[in-house]
Amino acid sequence: MITRRCAGALLAACALLGSPVAGTVTLLLDKDAAVDSTADGTATKPFRTLHQTVDYLIANVGGIITEDVVVEIAAGDYLITETVEMSRQTATQACPVTFRPRDGPRTVTFTGGIDVSASLQPLEDGAFKTALISADAKVNVQQVDLSTVGYPGLFDPVKYHGYGFSNQRAVNPTMVYSKGDRLNLARWPNAGDTAGTYLDSQMSPQSYPGQVSFTAVVDRGYQSEFPAVDKYAARDDTDFLIGGGTFQMGFQARTDSWTLSTLTTPMDVFLDGVVGRSWEWTYNQVHSVTGDEVQLLRGEQSGLMTGKHPHFHFENVPEELDEPGEWWLDRTNKKLYIWPKHADGDVTMAVLAGPMVWLKSQAAFIRFEGIIFENGRMEGIKMAPTSDIEIENCVVRNFGRDGVYTNGVRTLVKGCEIYNIGWTGVEVGFGAGAGAEIDESTWTVTASDIVPAENVIEGNTIYKFAWDVRSQEPGITLAGVGSRAVGNEIYDGSHFALKVMRGQDMVLENNYIHDLPTYFHEDGGSLYFGVGMFPHLRGNVIRGNLFKNIPTNGIYLDNFSSGVLVERNWFMNVANGNDHFGGVDINGGGYNDVRFNVFWKVARPVRYNQFAETSLWGSTAYASSIKNHYDAFNKLPDVASTPYGKYCDFMDFLARNRSDDDAFHYQSNMAHHNLAVNGEGVDFDLSYVNNYVNAAKHERGNEGVLERDPKKWDTFDNAARAVSDVAGAKWEEVKQGFYAGPMNFRNRLPGGTPDLPEHIAAILGRQNPKEPTGLWMCSEPQATNMVVHSSVNANGTTEPQSVLMRTAVNENMTKIDNDIKVESASGDDGSSWFVAAASAACAVVGAAIIAVVVLVRRQARVSDAASGDDFLASSSHAIDMTSPVL
């Protein structure tokens, strides 16, 4: 990172005392300074704009400036209507530059929006007022004449975009904000409305508030993905661009009221929602409404589809401006119509058409500290390509694209608040770091060094993101090589919280992910991996994260994603939206290691998803890519001696029999030493477990008993054990796994108070640098899995069980001895023993409460030794703690 960072505390202290710091040049930026083309940043001649400041730095860094530079910014709002560009001449390693407020953190705001509150006028009589459906709107809506406002692109039309569309990343039109909150473009139904009409009986207004659906598909329209079905055209073909589908609907009485919108064809109304596959969100223009039929202007990736829970609303409908916080822009007559959200007006329009700050052309050694960036139509801060850039304790809000985007190395985004973002909160691009170079025309590999990007996204709070592009735009995206997302809190997003695409050696650790997705209830997961087409992308780690209140998959290893280590995570009320989700869902991949995790109220803790193997393996995009990468790496004379030799699971993959498609296709995964606790409190109910094997092949007759599938999981049952015999079931290994990692998510909870069962929070919050034994190693045996529950046998009797699962990586892997011995690693007198207890209520006939005492040692090590089943009996430190009900 930036040089001399170790002296940061001293510099800050000296600045607070008003003392000059030797070796530092301080420049002053003040919005109230006089216009002066000769300004030099001194107290008598401060800069007036950020552009002027940057121009001075580019001209003088390395010349008359040879030391560290601190640009102190006087408090206030600074209007930025053109992108501020910084390059390699802005700062150097010898002269790093820091931008920070002079008067304390977050007292400076760089804004790309103009305040039009003072121009609000009562609504005039005319066609617009007449068209309003709501009588209250005709009284409360106000207008702003923008005919004299000349910012570039301000009146550009709304553009179609969506999943799979060629212009998915089109520049957004202007948006409107009030007191920092994004306001809604006039829409129907309103957000939160529960009076919609739905196609699918499984859907209800409560499941998708503010959405409607169609009653039948008349014409699927052109599709861009599946040429064998109905009509097909490439996304940019004329047929596709004017070949939208037609559906029948049950809300004609409402659309008949759109007297202004239907005057033009195509209409300037947009459908916002899902009309195809559950992840294919679209923002498609409406061509026309005729009776009870709606025709879209453009085709969809897979066309209009029934049975996929279609749901949508309509936007940019002037007649529907009917509640506080809605607006509509008449782009022809240049008038803004708005029902103010607040009594004092406070209306801001985003006018900045490009990124607010764009660091480019090898810009480096620049730091932004304690600044608010807000109100732009594209990115807040964009970096490509760059190095050694720091953004700390800033606010980034109200941007149409990414809040922060980097395609550089050694970027630090730390302690920031990032919200109201149209796409991704923080995105690390594909160019970050370097790995193997693969020529796909000849399928040859240059296995050069694996160079990590060392980008760190740490301790940020990211929420209200993906409001514009809803599908697969997360709070944080990691791509490239060797970046980390650590200690972030992410919530209130449309789809994913974290996403890894074409990434290797990524670490996602100690993040607190909760209460999302807010839009997609039928697809995805809060932490998503999409690396399966590139089987050499290994070394990814998901560790020590807290997942809470996630109705979809907690962790979704999608489309053959392989070689991911998932350890020491806590899942709380996750994957209960429907029976297709799992705490950890593996969609066709192999060599994934799921260990030392706690699943609390998770119906299917670990699930093998059959979709990829049945629907994707035969496709060119996936199967061919995996096979071609296999062939390319095996052309190398000694692949094990390349940097990729460190991935032992990848070496095992390359040794598989390519000619045996079945054996090559089915690659094993491991799930071991996990703890599943389900039902209210800590009740164990097998009917809610359904875990660790292919959920597509389970038998419902005996609830929770799953058919074993050795192609995915080599499973076996251990001897049945009573719930009270958890010590003999080796729960110590689970606790030891928790100890091994820094699970510090507790301080990411609101107010720093853990909203977890006390005994579990205490276990997860402790630290021990020791790594557990029996890990995924190509040359080592692997451990067993344990889940304790009570089951209902076919004859109706209750039988406590301990199910142990094993997955072989190759023929040389065998199960280690189940019996373990816990010894002191430090040789102390036992004063560091930690005691945790949980009670389990066994359901069915006569609820017997069984006290369970689990003893855990802070500095313990697990050795492959003789039996130690009764070690609890000798301890005088056991405490019986009642289990909380969440």
Side-chain angles (χ1 to χ4, degrees):
M1 292 298 175
I2 293 175
T3 59
R4 289 176 288 277
R5 182 185 295 165
C6 60
L10 177 60
L11 293 176
C14 292
L16 290 173
L17 292 173
S19 303
V21 180
T24 299
V25 174
T26 300
L27 303 177
L28 179 61
L29 167 59
D30 188 341
K31 68 182 183 63
D32 296 324
V35 177
D36 184 355
S37 61
T38 65
D40 57 7
T42 59
T44 57
K45 302 182 69 173
F47 302 118
R48 181 181 174 87
T49 68
L50 183 58
H51 287 91
Q52 187 181 31
T53 307
V54 172
D55 289 344
Y56 181 86
L57 291 170
I58 291 174
N60 293 287
V61 163
I64 64 173
I65 297 177
T66 59
E67 301 169 307
D68 293 16
V69 178
V70 174
V71 178
E72 293 195 338
I73 310 169
D77 296 344
Y78 293 75
L79 179 62
I80 297 178
T81 59
E82 295 182 2
T83 297
V84 178
E85 296 186 2
M86 302 185 188
S87 65
R88 73 179 73 184
Q89 288 80 27
T90 306
T92 66
Q93 186 170 10
C95 305
V97 175
T98 297
F99 295 88
R100 71 184 185 199
R102 181 191 62 186
D103 303 308
R106 303 186 180 182
T107 58
V108 169
T109 299
F110 292 142
T111 178
I114 58 172
D115 187 348
V116 298
S117 305
S119 300
L120 288 169
Q121 298 293 325
L123 182 62
E124 297 175 348
D125 293 335
F128 175 78
K129 185 174 181 178
T130 301
L132 288 173
I133 297 173
S134 166
D136 288 341
K138 295 179 181 182
V139 176
N140 291 284
V141 170
Q142 300 181 50
Q143 66 184 49
V144 178
D145 184 357
L146 299 172
S147 59
T148 60
V149 177
Y151 296 102
L154 182 61
F155 301 105
D156 285 353
V158 180
K159 297 180 175 68
Y160 87 98
H161 53 287
Y163 180 85
F165 283 7
S166 59
N167 67 338
Q168 178 177 358
R169 295 182 173 263
V171 179
N172 282 1
T174 186
M175 294 300 295
V176 179
Y177 302 91
S178 181
K179 296 187 184 299
D181 291 329
R182 182 180 64 88
L183 304 185
N184 290 325
L185 186 58
R187 57 172 284 174
W188 182 83
N190 288 329
D193 185 359
T194 59
T197 301
Y198 291 82
L199 169 68
D200 195 314
S201 61
Q202 298 179 45
M203 298 169 59
S204 69
Q206 289 71 35
S207 298
Y208 291 89
Q211 305 287 297
V212 292
S213 187
F214 42 71
T215 55
V217 172
V218 178
D219 177 8
R220 290 186 64 185
Y222 273 86
Q223 301 114 59
S224 64
E225 185 178 13
F226 303 101
V229 182
D230 297 331
K231 297 174 288 186
Y232 169 79
R235 297 168 187 169
D236 294 325
D237 285 359
T238 301
D239 287 342
F240 183 83
L241 294 175
I242 61 173
T246 300
F247 61 79
Q248 196 170 43
M249 46 77 177
F251 41 84
Q252 181 182 347
R254 194 71 186 193
T255 57
D256 283 347
S257 300
W258 295 355
T259 57
L260 190 62
S261 298
T262 53
L263 292 177
T264 60
T265 303
M267 298 166 61
D268 200 25
V269 170
F270 286 77
L271 180 148
D272 179 325
V274 174
V275 294
R277 285 177 166 78
S278 59
W279 60 89
E280 293 177 359
W281 173 86
T282 184
Y283 198 81
N284 201 339
Q285 192 169 356
V286 175
H287 177 272
S288 58
V289 178
T290 306
D292 64 350
E293 292 186 356
V294 176
Q295 181 182 355
L296 300 179
L297 178 60
R298 294 171 174 83
E300 294 289 336
Q301 177 141 334
S302 53
L304 304 185
M305 301 178 70
T306 60
K308 296 295 183 180
H309 305 286
H311 54 91
F312 49 85
H313 68 271
F314 297 94
E315 273 196 356
N316 204 43
V317 189
E319 298 89 344
E320 297 291 352
L321 204 169
D322 61 358
E323 67 176 3
E326 284 194 334
W327 62 279
W328 180 71
L329 182 62
D330 182 342
R331 289 171 165 79
T332 301
N333 298 305
K334 298 184 178 180
K335 288 184 178 180
L336 171 68
Y337 296 98
I338 184 168
W339 186 332
K341 186 175 182 179
H342 303 285
D344 61 354
D346 192 66
V347 178
T348 298
M349 295 185 67
V351 298
L352 174 64
M356 178 166 282
V357 177
W358 190 353
L359 298 101
K360 56 196 301 186
S361 304
Q362 308 299 330
F365 305 105
I366 298 172
R367 174 179 172 84
F368 300 96
E369 179 182 310
I371 298 171
I372 299 174
F373 301 85
E374 67 175 19
N375 302 335
R377 294 166 57 191
M378 293 180 67
E379 296 88 355
I381 302 174
K382 182 176 181 179
M383 297 167 276
T386 58
S387 64
D388 300 280
I389 306 296
E390 295 184 353
I391 305 165
E392 187 164 359
N393 192 28
C394 292
V395 175
V396 182
R397 65 190 180 198
N398 300 340
F399 287 96
R401 286 194 178 184
D402 296 337
V404 178
Y405 173 85
T406 179
N407 206 13
V409 298
R410 296 186 299 280
T411 307
L412 175 67
V413 182
K414 182 177 181 180
C416 296
E417 185 178 7
I418 302 171
Y419 65 98
N420 282 345
I421 302 299
W423 297 0
T424 294
V426 181
E427 179 171 358
V428 176
F430 294 121
E437 297 180 6
I438 301 174
D439 184 345
E440 296 188 3
S441 64
T442 60
W443 286 107
T444 55
V445 175
T446 302
S448 55
D449 289 341
I450 299 172
V451 181
E454 298 179 339
N455 296 303
V456 178
I457 317 302
E458 178 182 356
N460 304 285
T461 302
I462 305 173
Y463 59 101
K464 292 183 180 178
F465 52 89
W467 56 257
D468 179 55
V469 177
R470 300 182 189 273
S471 179
Q472 302 190 26
E473 294 289 344
I476 298 174
T477 292
L478 298 181
V481 181
S483 292
R484 302 173 67 226
V486 182
N488 302 283
E489 180 179 7
I490 307 173
Y491 63 98
D492 196 3
S494 295
H495 207 175
F496 307 145
L498 287 160
K499 180 174 75 171
V500 175
M501 296 296 290
R502 295 189 68 168
Q504 83 190 77
D505 289 345
M506 300 297 188
V507 176
L508 301 92
E509 186 171 50
N510 295 342
N511 298 288
Y512 176 31
I513 301 169
H514 63 98
D515 297 290
L516 54 66
T518 58
Y519 187 82
F520 285 93
H521 304 304
E522 310 297 331
D523 174 75
S526 64
L527 195 161
Y528 180 87
F529 260 76
V531 300
M533 292 182 70
F534 314 97
H536 63 295
L537 300 182
R538 304 289 171 122
N540 295 303
V541 177
I542 305 171
R543 175 188 295 125
N545 302 283
L546 169 60
F547 301 88
K548 181 180 177 184
N549 299 334
I550 310 293
T552 58
N553 296 307
I555 295 173
Y556 191 18
L557 308 182
D558 197 14
N559 296 342
F560 306 104
S561 293
S562 299
V564 181
L565 174 61
V566 180
E567 67 174 1
R568 302 193 288 270
N569 300 283
W570 170 262
F571 300 80
M572 183 176 180
N573 188 27
V574 172
N576 298 319
N578 61 44
D579 60 6
H580 301 298
F581 296 129
V584 178
D585 191 304
I586 301 173
N587 188 13
Y591 298 96
N592 297 296
D593 186 357
V594 183
R595 69 190 190 191
F596 299 120
N597 301 284
V598 165
F599 300 92
W600 187 285
K601 294 189 187 178
V602 181
R604 291 153 298 279
V606 182
R607 178 175 180 264
Y608 188 94
N609 187 334
Q610 82 284 2
F611 175 76
E613 69 179 55
T614 58
S615 301
L616 297 181
W617 183 248
S619 71
T620 301
Y622 289 94
S624 295
S625 178
I626 293 171
K627 293 176 180 179
N628 286 333
H629 281 83
Y630 171 95
D631 293 340
F633 275 90
N634 273 316
K635 290 178 184 177
L636 296 172
D638 184 9
V639 66
S641 65
T642 72
Y644 285 82
K646 72 175 183 177
Y647 304 125
C648 58
D649 52 337
F650 183 51
M651 294 301 101
D652 186 78
F653 163 78
L654 293 178
R656 299 180 76 89
N657 185 354
R658 166 79 156 73
S659 60
D660 185 343
D661 191 69
D662 188 67
F664 183 74
H665 177 187
Y666 295 106
Q667 301 165 24
S668 296
N669 298 277
M670 289 196 297
H672 60 100
H673 298 88
N674 299 289
L675 169 61
V677 185
N678 294 278
E680 292 297 322
V682 290
D683 292 347
F684 293 93
D685 187 345
L686 186 57
S687 65
Y688 290 100
V689 173
N690 290 356
N691 62 337
Y692 300 118
V693 294
N694 186 358
K697 298 184 178 181
H698 63 271
E699 299 174 353
R700 288 293 186 184
N702 185 1
E703 286 291 335
V705 178
L706 309 180
E707 183 181 24
R708 289 158 183 75
D709 188 342
K711 293 178 179 179
K712 290 88 177 174
W713 310 95
D714 184 10
T715 65
F716 65 93
D717 285 343
N718 208 34
R721 299 180 184 273
V723 176
S724 58
D725 191 26
V726 294
K730 310 299 179 299
W731 281 23
E732 174 62 21
E733 290 191 72
V734 178
K735 304 303 186 295
Q736 174 68 7
F738 291 140
Y739 277 165
M743 304 194 69
N744 295 325
F745 55 69
R746 289 192 302 157
N747 57 19
R748 297 299 306 154
L749 295 171
T753 303
D755 186 14
L756 298 171
E758 291 183 2
H759 61 287
I760 296 294
I763 292 171
L764 301 186
R766 310 235 346 247
Q767 298 186 41
N768 187 324
K770 178 178 172 55
E771 286 294 324
T773 59
L775 308 184
W776 183 295
M777 299 291 289
C778 288
S779 59
E780 291 186 8
Q782 63 113 90
T784 56
N785 181 38
M786 60 201 66
V787 174
V788 177
H789 52 245
S790 61
S791 67
V792 182
N793 293 325
N795 60 10
T797 62
T798 302
E799 180 183 11
Q801 294 181 340
S802 175
V803 181
L804 287 77
M805 307 299 183
R806 176 175 64 88
T807 303
V809 182
N810 53 44
E811 295 180 356
N812 296 325
M813 283 195 169
T814 57
K815 178 180 69 69
I816 65 170
D817 193 332
N818 287 328
D819 297 323
I820 62 172
K821 182 178 181 180
V822 179
E823 300 176 349
S824 170
S826 59
D828 60 34
D829 60 1
S831 60
S832 62
W833 291 87
F834 175 83
V835 180
S839 62
C842 298
V844 186
V845 181
I849 306 300
I850 304 173
V852 179
V853 181
V854 180
L855 184 62
V856 181
R857 184 99 187 245
R858 178 177 296 181
Q859 297 279 338
R861 71 169 180 265
V862 181
S863 59
D864 186 4
S867 175
D869 285 356
D870 58 354
F871 68 91
L872 284 176
S874 63
S875 174
S876 61
H877 299 282
I879 301 174
D880 188 7
M881 300 173 65
T882 58
S883 299
V885 177
L886 304 181

